[in-house]
Amino acid sequence: MAPSIDMEARFLDYVSAENKVEPKDWMPDAYRKTLVRQISQHAHSEIVGMLPEANWITRAPSLRAKLILLAKVQDEAGHGLYLYSSAETLGTSRDQMINDLHTGKAKYSSIFNYPTLTWADMGAVGWLVDGAAIQNQVMLCRTSYGPYSRAMVRICKEESFHQRQGYEIMMHLARGTKEQKAMAQDALNRWWWPSLMMFGPSDDQSPNSAQSMAWRIKRKSNDELRQEFIDKTVPQAEFLGLTLPDPDLKWNEERGHYDFGPIDWAEFFAVVAGNGPCNTERLEARRSAHAEGAWVREAATAYAAKQAARRAATAPTAKASAA
């Protein structure tokens, strides 16, 4: 039976009053579908995002740097697991979500389709990419869906560590030799615009943003989040002595914000469509890892079945002993 208009209105009133929606609560099908799409894409981004960083673990310049990068990659694996688990409470399966990723049906953040060419990229990714992620994700700690909101609290704490780790790398390079500072500037030049694209297309090109905000899934629009990120990041770049690659960037006293140049949305949509520098490489790496890990999943399933059978077999004995 189709939901009545009254049920939809009551649901909107419920979330507008800042109440949390839990898995067993009634929710509109469109709300559920939107959450599955957003949460699964977020999970995919965490998992795919491990790839460009894991590539630098063995080449990090010190043992300390290796340990920090290992911890970061491990955190991101955990974030993916939290998010897949959250999406599963909406009635979708993890196998289905992963299959959607591997077949190209589901998307992940466009930022992870760019290569990490130097160690400075680990700094730029931590500072800019994780910084943009935090800007977007802090509001999700207050999202209307309970399991997603609770998962985001821990994720944001760990992402804050990642952002500081990246900024520390950039600071060491910017204060190092002339060549090291040039490396940091080069990484900033390459990652700045893709980081701004992470917030998604401008509000007039984003068909889902308004409805997500009405449902309290999102709290701010793409353009609001992007502007806040720019306003925070410009002083950080100035402190490092690095130059943001935007000749139109300037403080607007009347607006109380930085004005910035046009974003190349053609590039963004091309990357989303699968035509970025590393799209094919990233998906192939995930497909290969999934195939090579089949034996682990099979062993875990067999072990769980064996344990369940053992518990079932010993249950009558336990009851008899109790009697």
Side-chain angles (χ1 to χ4, degrees):
M1 184 177 69
S4 66
I5 295 176
D6 189 45
M7 290 174 69
E8 298 266 5
R10 286 204 302 267
F11 179 82
L12 188 58
D13 288 342
Y14 183 79
V15 295
S16 296
E18 302 298 343
N19 293 303
K20 294 294 185 207
V21 180
E22 298 298 339
K24 293 184 178 180
D25 294 340
W26 182 89
M27 64 189 78
D29 287 341
Y31 176 85
R32 184 186 303 274
K33 183 178 180 180
T34 297
L35 280 170
V36 169
R37 175 184 57 80
Q38 179 172 327
I39 299 173
S40 65
Q41 289 183 7
H42 190 170
H44 299 330
S45 298
E46 295 285 356
I47 299 302
V48 175
M50 297 163 62
L51 297 174
E53 293 172 324
N55 184 45
W56 276 93
I57 289 173
T58 59
R59 295 182 288 163
S62 69
L63 178 59
R64 177 178 182 272
K66 285 178 170 63
L67 291 172
I68 293 173
L69 193 54
L70 274 168
K72 181 181 181 182
V73 171
Q74 178 178 278
D75 285 348
E76 287 166 347
H79 297 173
L81 292 176
Y82 305 152
L83 293 164
Y84 283 133
S85 296
S86 176
E88 285 177 312
T89 66
L90 291 159
T92 189
S93 72
R94 191 169 307 193
D95 286 344
Q96 182 62 55
M97 288 184 281
I98 292 173
N99 183 66
D100 287 346
L101 170 65
H102 293 169
T103 59
K105 180 180 178 181
K107 305 298 182 183
Y108 54 88
S109 179
S110 61
I111 195 75
F112 299 118
N113 289 310
Y114 290 86
T116 49
L117 304 179
T118 71
W119 174 246
D121 287 35
M122 292 297 94
V125 167
W127 172 35
L128 300 176
V129 175
D130 293 320
I134 293 168
Q135 188 69 42
N136 187 49
Q137 292 170 8
V138 164
M139 70 168 182
L140 293 175
C141 294
R142 297 170 52 234
T143 192
S144 58
Y145 188 58
Y148 193 20
S149 171
R150 291 187 286 273
M152 290 311 306
V153 172
R154 177 166 180 172
I155 289 173
C156 284
K157 289 179 180 179
E158 293 177 350
E159 290 290 1
S160 179
F161 160 77
H162 301 168
Q163 194 268 350
R164 294 180 184 186
Q165 174 248 356
Y167 194 72
E168 181 188 57
I169 292 174
M170 295 296 278
M171 187 160 56
H172 282 306
L173 291 172
R175 294 177 178 178
T177 65
K178 181 173 67 174
E179 291 77 12
Q180 287 173 324
K181 185 172 183 179
M183 185 189 298
Q185 183 65 59
D186 173 67
L188 173 56
N189 292 345
R190 288 183 286 106
W191 288 95
W192 175 247
W193 292 107
S195 296
L196 297 188
M197 297 176 194
M198 281 182 66
F199 297 99
S202 55
D203 295 339
D204 58 356
Q205 300 182 69
S206 180
N208 303 311
S209 188
Q211 182 61 76
S212 291
M213 290 176 68
W215 281 328
R216 299 296 197 271
I217 295 174
K218 291 179 61 173
R219 298 290 175 150
K220 296 180 180 180
S221 72
N222 297 348
D223 286 336
E224 285 180 291
L225 292 166
R226 189 171 11 255
Q227 183 67 69
E228 289 178 1
F229 173 72
I230 291 171
D231 291 345
K232 290 178 180 178
T233 307
V234 172
Q236 295 171 0
E238 290 175 348
F239 180 79
L240 292 174
L242 300 177
T243 303
L244 294 171
D246 181 357
D248 297 324
L249 187 69
K250 62 180 179 180
W251 178 253
N252 186 318
E253 193 67 42
E254 292 183 5
R255 292 177 59 237
H257 296 288
Y258 282 93
D259 292 335
F260 56 97
I263 295 173
D264 185 356
W265 291 116
E267 176 184 333
F268 171 79
F269 287 113
V271 175
V272 170
N275 299 314
C278 299
N279 286 68
T280 302
E281 177 184 332
R282 299 290 186 244
L283 271 185
E284 183 54 38
R286 287 308 312 150
R287 292 190 193 106
S288 296
H290 189 71
E292 291 170 5
W295 71 272
V296 178
R297 296 191 297 277
E298 292 166 2
T301 301
Y303 178 77
K306 184 177 180 179
Q307 291 296 101
R310 180 177 296 172
R311 286 193 296 271
T314 58
T317 303
K319 290 181 180 178
S321 299

